[in-house]
Amino acid sequence: MTSPRVFVRTLVALAITCVAASPSISDDASTSPFQPHVDMKTFMEHVLGPAAAIIWRVNGVVIDEKGEHDLSPKSDDDWEQIVSGAATLAEAANALMIPQRVPDAAWNPYVKKLADAADKAYRAAEAHDLKSVSEVSDQLDGICAACHRHYGLE
């Protein structure tokens, strides 16, 4: 029969071995579990751009042969599109902070401003508050333009 002390030591050794062998615990801390699947240009073109365009459209007007057409939301479905666009933009901001996408220390503050504005747009769209969504639309334009200038994307 083994002594209680040997038994406890064996259990501790077994636990340490299991923890060390566990991929979720033993992976290098500098390795992010989040990985980009598309390059930044594709991400902007297919995720961020379309989501932002939905919010920007609230300030839009189309002029054609039939006259002037205000693009602001008129129905619950219109509002739901803005809610979805703002939610997508807010959540996509997290993907911009995947370590492999972060070019320098100035990046995440731009992304934080984007996420905060998208969150405001989301809350305003949920409340059907056109004035607030319109204001955030203008803020988003400035945030995106400043980041694009900083990173030479204009």
Side-chain angles (χ1 to χ4, degrees):
M1 177 179 241
T2 59
S3 74
R5 190 172 269 174
V6 171
F7 181 72
V8 169
R9 286 182 187 160
T10 303
L11 280 179
V12 169
L14 181 60
I16 291 170
T17 302
C18 289
V19 167
S22 171
S24 63
I25 297 172
S26 66
D27 278 351
D28 180 10
S30 66
T31 303
S32 172
F34 308 105
Q35 302 296 318
H37 294 282
V38 297
D39 62 31
M40 184 61 77
K41 182 178 186 296
T42 302
F43 186 73
M44 291 279 185
E45 186 177 305
H46 293 286
V47 180
L48 293 182
I54 291 168
I55 298 166
W56 286 324
R57 189 170 43 233
V58 302
N59 290 334
V61 174
V62 172
I63 301 172
D64 61 18
E65 62 279 350
K66 295 179 182 177
E68 192 171 291
H69 309 281
D70 177 15
L71 298 178
S72 63
K74 312 270 185 304
S75 68
D76 285 344
D77 286 342
D78 292 347
W79 280 109
E80 186 56 33
Q81 286 181 7
I82 298 166
V83 167
S84 293
T88 299
L89 193 59
E91 292 297 335
N94 290 315
L96 287 172
M97 293 186 282
I98 293 173
Q100 296 88 337
R101 285 202 171 117
V102 178
D104 59 32
W107 182 257
N108 284 345
Y110 282 115
V111 175
K112 175 79 168 101
K113 288 177 186 177
L114 172 69
D116 290 346
D119 181 58
K120 285 180 191 174
Y122 172 79
R123 287 184 280 115
E126 282 277 298
H128 292 204
D129 180 352
L130 180 59
K131 181 178 186 245
S132 294
V133 174
S134 181
E135 289 169 359
V136 172
S137 173
D138 291 339
Q139 291 171 4
L140 278 173
D141 188 48
I143 293 164
C144 292
C147 185
H148 285 213
R149 276 191 305 276
H150 181 96
Y151 292 100
L153 301 171
E154 289 190 291

